[in-house]
Amino acid sequence: MTSSSGMARSWGSQQQPLGELFEGLPHALTKEERFGKFVADNPDFVEWFCRRALQDRAAGLRRGSAKLYFEEYRGKHINGDGRYRLNNDFTSLMARLAVERHSILNGFFETRGMWDPTRKVPRK
């Protein structure tokens, strides 16, 4: 039996590559995939976030805070039943999406490099 290096694993007399063991099984969604689903499911929030950033930019602010916008939205729009939830993991991705959609916001949010969670190193 080989280790989890990816070669093969022995099941008695049967050898099977590790990649084949997981074929067809649903994979855990990446942060970006979960964010894409969130954006598709919550167009009202995305529109509000972009509009809010654009308002601050038009008012002369040179920097905006995606975290502030998340907290502001939470305070004003979340139902008492707790069904609607904003994931803090999406804050930086939301800022990047707003900049992607509205080039006037370029430089408005401070963004840092994204990390590769599997290797614990910055993405290139």
Side-chain angles (χ1 to χ4, degrees), residues 1-9 15-22:
M1 182 166 17
T2 32
S3 69
S4 61
S5 65
M7 296 316 253
R9 186 170 187 157
Q15 290 272 324
Q16 186 176 17
L18 282 178
E20 290 178 15
L21 290 174
F22 301 106

Side-chain angles (χ1 to χ4, degrees), residues 22-42:
F22 301 106
E23 241 175 62
L25 293 177
H27 71 283
L29 296 178
T30 66
K31 180 175 161 178
E32 288 79 7
E33 290 170 330
R34 290 183 291 122
F35 178 68
K37 182 172 175 8
F38 171 80
V39 167
D41 291 346
N42 298 283

Side-chain angles (χ1 to χ4, degrees), residues 3-112:
S3 69
S4 61
S5 65
M7 296 316 253
R9 186 170 187 157
S10 175
W11 297 95
S13 62
Q14 180 183 4
Q15 290 272 324
Q16 186 176 17
L18 282 178
E20 290 178 15
L21 290 174
F22 301 106
E23 241 175 62
L25 293 177
H27 71 283
L29 296 178
T30 66
K31 180 175 161 178
E32 288 79 7
E33 290 170 330
R34 290 183 291 122
F35 178 68
K37 182 172 175 8
F38 171 80
V39 167
D41 291 346
N42 298 283
D44 292 341
F45 171 73
V46 174
E47 182 182 326
W48 177 90
F49 184 95
C50 292
R51 187 174 57 247
R52 181 69 176 83
L54 290 167
Q55 287 170 347
D56 279 354
R57 180 76 169 150
L61 290 178
R62 293 177 2 157
R63 288 286 192 186
S65 169
K67 181 67 174 160
L68 172 71
Y69 301 153
F70 265 59
E71 296 303 332
E72 183 179 317
Y73 193 86
R74 274 190 185 113
K76 293 181 179 178
H77 295 93
I78 292 193
N79 299 332
D81 61 4
R83 287 186 306 138
Y84 191 77
R85 182 166 177 233
L86 291 176
N87 187 333
N88 285 335
D89 289 350
F90 299 155
T91 307
S92 67
L93 294 171
M94 193 63 228
R96 286 174 169 82
L97 179 64
V99 171
E100 183 181 304
R101 290 187 177 185
H102 305 281
S103 61
I104 195 168
L105 295 175
N106 192 21
F108 187 65
F109 297 105
E110 178 184 344
T111 56
R112 299 175 186 158

